[in-house]
């Protein structure tokens, strides 16, 4: 059964979650809490881990637990709990023991990794089931007579989602995102929820999106009639979203060479028997395309005359701008995610232990191109910069607005709002 897992997705088998990393299928783990055992030295920890690592998802511990909590080690090897319960129950642990754990976290399988409990595995399993049902709903909508099959699927999907939310909360909640974020389809699944403002509390909440109530895909036309290569090209762009010669040959029985000759100025040659429509070729990163065309000419690539490509590109290449002439802001789409990662890592103190430099890998930025939505996650969520300097936290009222949420909101170019209760009303505390 494990051989059927799609690459970069999660799968639950025999109550254990597995992840396909593109090459191999491995047990799926998440980073979180640290278990400190009573009267157990480092050697005993390593031996226990070695004995039980293959049972990490269903092992039942038979020893006394002195403390279980979530948190991280700071630069001085102090353990900093990240939950109020963890802070209240934290026992006195000598510095030497903390230092050993902080410096030798391999005993916990690659940076404080621990097993999912049964509830987590069940949540993963249900989210996978929701994803598969959603894919089936979208798939049937491509059929011309999908109504009879669609409605039972839609009702089933609503029931499954309601059952999941009643037990685990919205799919977009941080707790569920931490379980599924490695799955390539998580953003696709989370897109079924809309974030709105609660009319009474004025706080953000997640509600069902359009897919729960009505079809979201236009039915494809069963018959496409074309009389020329231009008609075939238009049909290909409308129904395939790209230049697809195989599709064009099905609806316009001519060879690829005949269609290329008939389309003439509508196409540009890229090399390796590949073509691109004029509108697409003469847009986007035209400077790079011009450089490639010139290189092809200089090396007489494929013996083709690249002068037509070069002339057309030279006409549309924009003039160089000074940096002061470029308008951009946080969230501008042409800025690479790596730049945002480096910036956020430095601003939010994402500094590994025993290092004085911020690590961009501690910042994860997921971007869903179809929905044009960013989501930011941080490895270290309890630093001063995240909680206080660029965030807001009121311990007495259990209110918070961490910097990772602020970064997500700004990348999506929305106005961040922080709310604070005042008697029976809710008022805006800060609006940036």
């Amino acid at each position: 059964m494990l051989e059927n897992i799609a690459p970069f997705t999660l799968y639950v088998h025999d109550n254990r979650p597995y992840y396909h990393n593109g090459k191999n299928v491995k047990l799926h783990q998440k980073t979180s809490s640290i278990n400190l055992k009573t009267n157990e030295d480092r050697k005993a920890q390593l031996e226990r881990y070695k004995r039980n690592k293959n049972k990490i998802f269903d092992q039942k511990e038979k020893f006394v637990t002195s403390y279980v909590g979530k948190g991280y080690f700071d630069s001085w090897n102090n353990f900093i709990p990240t939950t109020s319960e963890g802070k209240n129950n934290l026992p006195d642990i000598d510095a030497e023991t903390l230092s050993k754990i902080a410096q030798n976290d391999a005993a916990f399988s690659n940076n404080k990794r621990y097993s999912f409990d049964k509830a987590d595995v069940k949540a993963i399993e249900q989210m996978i089931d929701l994803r598969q049902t959603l894919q089936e709903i979208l798939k049937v909508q491509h059929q011309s007579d999908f109504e009879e099959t669609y409605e039972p699927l839609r009702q089933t999907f609503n029931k499954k989602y309601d059952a999941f939310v009643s037990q685990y909360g919205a799919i977009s909640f941080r707790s569920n995102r931490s379980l599924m974020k490695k799955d390539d389809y998580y953003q696709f699944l989370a897109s079924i929820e809309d974030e709105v403002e609660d009319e009474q509390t004025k706080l953000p909440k997640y509600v069902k999106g359009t897919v729960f109530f009505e079809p979201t895909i236009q039915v494809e036309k069963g018959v496409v009639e074309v009389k020329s290569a231009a008609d075939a090209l238009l049909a290909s762009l409308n129904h395939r979203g790209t230049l697809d010669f195989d599709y064009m040959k099905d609806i316009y029985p001519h060879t690829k060479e005949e269609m290329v000759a008939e389309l003439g100025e509508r196409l540009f040659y890229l090399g390796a028997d590949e073509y691109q429509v004029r509108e697409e070729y003469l847009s986007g990163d035209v400077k790079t395309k011009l450089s490639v065309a010139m290189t092809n000419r200089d090396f007489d690539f494929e013996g083709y005359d690249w002068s037509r490509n070069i002339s057309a590109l030279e006409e549309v290449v924009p003039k160089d701008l000074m940096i002061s002439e470029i308008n951009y802001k946080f969230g501008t789409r042409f800025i690479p995610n790596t730049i945002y990662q480096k910036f956020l890592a430095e601003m939010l103190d994402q500094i590994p232990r025993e290092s004085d430099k911020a690590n961009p890998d501690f910042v994860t930025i997921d971007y869903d191109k179809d929905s044009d939505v960013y989501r930011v996650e941080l490895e270290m969520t309890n630093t001063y910069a995240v909680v206080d300097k660029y965030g807001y936290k009121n311990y007495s009222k259990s209110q918070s607005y961490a910097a990772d949420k602020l970064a997500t909101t700004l990348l999506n170019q929305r106005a961040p709002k922080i709310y604070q209760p005042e008697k029976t009303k809710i008022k805006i505390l800060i609006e940036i």
Side-chain angles (χ1 to χ4, degrees), residues 94-112:
D94 63 272
E96 183 179 357
T97 299
L98 287 174
S99 180
K100 287 181 180 179
I101 297 173
Q103 295 175 15
N104 300 282
D105 54 16
F108 299 92
S109 180
N110 190 17
N111 193 22
K112 306 190 303 296

Side-chain angles (χ1 to χ4, degrees), residues 158-376:
N158 273 271
K159 291 179 181 178
K160 289 180 178 180
Y161 177 81
D162 292 341
F164 178 85
V165 171
S166 66
Q167 189 169 2
Y168 304 106
I171 292 170
S172 300
F173 280 0
R174 179 188 292 270
S175 56
N176 294 322
R177 185 167 69 248
S178 68
L179 298 176
M180 285 287 288
K181 65 181 181 180
K182 273 194 173 183
D183 192 302
D184 264 10
Y185 288 96
Y186 171 73
Q187 294 295 339
F188 163 71
L189 180 61
S191 69
I192 65 178
E193 297 175 329
D194 293 333
E195 185 177 350
V196 300
E197 186 179 88
D198 190 287
E199 294 182 357
Q200 294 182 341
T201 66
K202 303 302 180 183
L203 296 174
K205 68 176 183 179
Y206 293 101
V207 298
K208 292 180 177 180
T210 307
V211 71
F212 287 95
F213 308 106
E214 60 187 55
T216 56
I217 296 178
Q218 185 178 1
V219 181
E220 295 181 359
K221 296 181 179 179
V223 179
V224 178
E225 184 178 354
V226 298
K227 298 181 179 179
S228 65
D231 291 341
L233 173 60
L234 182 60
S236 177
L237 296 176
N238 287 338
H239 295 280
R240 293 292 185 268
T242 187
L243 175 63
D244 187 338
F245 282 107
D246 291 333
Y247 173 76
M248 292 167 65
K249 284 191 288 185
D250 289 339
I251 59 177
Y252 185 63
H254 289 68
T255 65
K256 179 178 180 178
E257 290 72 20
E258 290 173 337
M259 286 188 284
V260 169
E262 185 176 342
L263 289 168
E265 297 292 320
R266 293 291 305 277
L267 302 179
F268 279 91
Y269 184 61
L270 305 179
D273 202 31
E274 296 291 330
Y275 292 84
Q276 199 169 49
V277 295
R278 182 182 186 88
E279 294 79 7
E280 185 176 0
Y281 185 69
L282 299 181
S283 61
D285 188 3
V286 290
K287 286 191 173 182
T288 299
K289 293 177 183 178
L290 177 60
S291 176
V292 171
M294 288 181 169
T295 301
N296 290 344
R297 178 198 60 189
D298 294 342
F299 287 90
D300 192 26
F301 183 61
E302 296 187 3
Y304 182 78
D305 182 6
W306 298 94
S307 59
R308 174 173 172 262
N309 297 52
I310 294 172
S311 298
L313 289 166
E314 285 178 337
E315 292 181 3
V316 297
V317 168
K319 69 174 184 177
D320 291 334
L321 297 176
M322 300 292 291
I323 189 67
S324 59
E325 298 178 285
I326 301 175
N327 294 321
Y328 60 91
K329 59 182 179 180
F330 196 74
T332 299
R333 296 320 190 236
F334 66 75
I335 299 177
N337 277 358
T338 52
I339 301 297
Y340 289 129
Q341 284 180 287
K342 184 177 180 181
F343 171 76
L344 290 173
E346 294 177 357
M347 296 298 293
L348 303 181
D349 296 341
Q350 299 299 294
I351 303 173
R353 298 191 304 272
E354 301 180 358
S355 175
D356 58 356
K357 294 183 179 180
N359 186 352
D361 292 337
F362 276 26
V363 180
T364 300
I365 300 179
D366 292 323
Y367 176 65
D368 182 65
K369 187 175 181 181
D370 293 334
S371 60
D372 191 31
V373 172
Y374 283 99
R375 191 188 299 274
V376 177

Side-chain angles (χ1 to χ4, degrees), residues 138-149:
L138 298 179
K139 182 179 178 180
V140 300
Q141 292 180 48
H142 288 282
Q143 303 171 6
S144 58
D145 54 348
F146 70 89
E147 288 83 0
E148 184 176 350
T149 307

